[in-house]
Amino acid sequence: MNGKSLSSELKEIITGAKRLYANYGKDLLSDLGFMKVLDDYEKAIEDTARAMTSLSIWKMCAICGNSPKGSCCAPEVAIWYDAELVFVNLLMGCDVEKGQFYKDHCFFLGKNGCILKARHYYCVHYLCPEIKAILSAAELDMLYRTIGREILTGSNVLHYFEQWRKHHDGVIVA
Ligand code: SF4
């Protein structure tokens, strides 16, 4: 980690996200095109949540998380995030600094699960071998399709922001 502690890297990421929010949040949230892609993303996140709940996956995660071995939300995952993805969480109304409930787990793991809505590819896509073993091929297929839509709509949001920002900053500079 280039000599930086996990907390200082995380602080940089969150500070960067808050800076993005201060600079762009208001304008972005009044851009209709952006609100459309953000809405698509939020719907896809809800679809994944429904699929996970219907297959009792989050219940199994909670049981595992409360066992001595703990959950798969490892501390280092928090710094796999970048400022842009944390910024998207701020746009969705998440209090990204509310985490750190479990000292030996990911900063974003709150008392009742992940406090983020826009999550990293790993967090959305990873299924442990125990969970995979109890799902049928059809259930896994349905789940991966749902997860795939979440990942795709999330990348649409980030892409839209990237393009919008170039235009926005260009307008400011001109
Ligand atoms: S799901 Fe949330 S709490 Fe778990 S590793 Fe990912 S960001 Fe951290």
Side-chain angles (χ1 to χ4, degrees), residues 15-27 87 90-91:
T15 302
K18 285 162 83 175
R19 197 177 306 122
L20 289 173
Y21 190 84
N23 289 343
Y24 304 116
K26 196 167 165 234
D27 289 345
F87 168 53
L90 291 176
L91 293 171

Side-chain angles (χ1 to χ4, degrees), residues 71-75 77-78 81 105-110 113-116 118-120 122-124:
S71 82
C72 50
C73 295
V77 180
Y81 280 75
H105 281 71
C106 173
F107 176 84
F108 297 121
L109 185 62
C114 184
I115 60 167
L116 302 181
R119 290 179 303 143
H120 190 278
Y122 163 82
C123 305
V124 182

Side-chain angles (χ1 to χ4, degrees), residues 28-29 54 78 90 92 101 105 112 114 120 133 149 154 165 172-173:
L28 204 49
L29 288 171
S54 73
L90 291 176
M92 288 175 163
F101 187 80
H105 281 71
N112 299 311
C114 184
H120 190 278
R149 275 195 301 278
R165 184 184 187 179
I172 286 173
V173 169

Side-chain angles (χ1 to χ4, degrees), residues 83-100:
E84 283 76 11
L85 190 51
V86 177
F87 168 53
V88 174
N89 281 283
L90 291 176
L91 293 171
M92 288 175 163
C94 298
D95 178 358
V96 301
E97 291 173 291
K98 200 177 146 200
Q100 196 69 79

Side-chain angles (χ1 to χ4, degrees), residues 2-3 11 21 32 42-43 48-49 53 65 92 104-105 116 120 131 138 147 150 157 162 170-171:
N2 302 327
K11 211 169 164 184
Y21 190 84
L32 291 181
E42 293 207 77
K43 283 183 179 136
T48 305
T53 305
M92 288 175 163
D104 54 346
H105 281 71
L116 302 181
H120 190 278
I131 284 178
I147 286 169
E150 177 175 336
V157 168
E162 195 186 317
V171 170

